[in-house]
Amino acid sequence: MLSSTDPIVYQGQFGNFTILESDRREVIFYRGGLMLAAVCFAISTGLVLWQGNNFTSLHWVSGLYSIFCVGLGVSLWMIHIYLKPLHQALQVFWLVGVVASIAIAHNSPEPFALTVYTYPLTILGVGFVFAALTGIFFKEAVCFNRLEAKVLTPLVPLLLLGHLLNWLSPEVERGLLVSWAILFGVFAFRKVIQPIPPDIGDKSVFDYLKSGAQKQSV
């Protein structure tokens, strides 16, 4: 019989594997980053909707957006995705969006949130951050069939593109923003209470893909 300290052996598609403590830590950091991002987004949404004319509140939103980006970056670093090019693409999207956000914030005398709202073309840069977030929602929708992730996957680009192209009325934008904040919170909370092994995935697949890539490079 196995003792409480013996690792559990799982049967994968390409062989057996065990889950290490380092694997569990990565999942915890992944989920922690998502929760941090979700909380920052929810607070920012409340400040924008109820104190949007207050410059002090808008400066708080700018700070919260920075923390949001940090949390999302941690999640993108720790997330387990079988296809490495897709994983790297999401990380590049995040980096491009962060660099664009820094440039916009540095070159505008107004609060960052107000600049993005007033000049929709800034979404062409900042939007890469949210494209990376949408990639996480899509991955979770496919892997775990999560309803909130399925809704968020089209909702996020709809709101951003709608504002960029002036398709949406302010009322609709507010409704979509609130829906985003609520569903993101539900998504992050459900990730926290989800068992850890499913987020680690089938490690035999990672090993198989890694060995295949190494053979091709030889």
Side-chain angles (χ1 to χ4, degrees):
M1 296 181 61
L2 292 174
S3 70
S4 59
T5 58
D6 289 330
I8 300 175
V9 178
Y10 295 86
Q11 176 62 52
Q13 185 176 354
F14 297 100
N16 296 335
F17 67 93
T18 58
I19 292 179
L20 307 176
E21 281 303 311
S22 58
D23 300 320
R24 294 180 178 275
R25 282 195 297 270
E26 288 176 358
V27 172
I28 291 172
F29 278 115
Y30 166 63
R31 297 177 179 183
L34 287 176
M35 179 59 75
L36 179 62
V39 169
C40 289
F41 191 83
I43 296 174
S44 297
T45 298
L47 290 173
V48 166
L49 294 181
W50 286 287
Q51 296 191 30
N53 295 324
N54 186 324
F55 266 42
T56 300
S57 296
L58 291 178
H59 281 299
W60 273 101
V61 171
S62 301
L64 287 167
Y65 174 75
S66 299
I67 301 174
F68 163 89
C69 287
V70 171
L72 180 59
V74 170
S75 294
L76 288 168
W77 185 263
M78 295 297 177
I79 190 173
H80 289 197
I81 298 178
Y82 293 129
L83 297 177
K84 188 174 182 179
L86 176 59
H87 190 181
Q88 293 174 331
L90 295 181
Q91 292 173 330
V92 170
F93 283 177
W94 175 86
L95 181 60
V96 171
V98 168
V99 171
S101 299
I102 293 173
I104 292 168
H106 180 74
N107 290 295
S108 175
E110 299 175 334
F112 175 77
L114 182 60
T115 301
V116 173
Y117 181 80
T118 306
Y119 303 99
L121 284 176
T122 56
I123 292 175
L124 295 175
V126 176
F128 278 94
V129 169
F130 299 103
L133 177 61
T134 303
I136 292 180
F137 293 148
F138 177 77
K139 179 261 184 187
E140 293 285 340
V142 171
C143 293
F144 300 110
N145 198 31
R146 288 289 169 80
L147 176 60
E148 65 274 14
K150 290 181 178 179
V151 176
L152 284 164
T153 298
L155 186 153
V156 173
L158 174 62
L159 176 55
L160 295 178
L161 291 175
H163 184 69
L164 173 64
L165 301 173
N166 197 28
W167 285 346
L168 306 175
S169 67
E171 293 75 18
V172 172
E173 288 187 350
R174 284 194 290 270
L176 290 175
L177 185 62
V178 171
S179 299
W180 180 354
I182 293 173
L183 291 174
F184 192 7
V186 172
F187 170 79
F189 175 74
R190 292 188 69 190
K191 290 303 300 179
V192 169
I193 63 176
Q194 178 184 346
I196 285 180
D199 257 346
I200 296 173
D202 185 344
K203 291 178 65 177
S204 72
V205 175
F206 288 105
D207 293 337
Y208 175 78
L209 294 174
K210 184 177 180 180
S211 63
Q214 290 175 342
K215 290 178 181 179
Q216 290 179 355
S217 63
V218 174

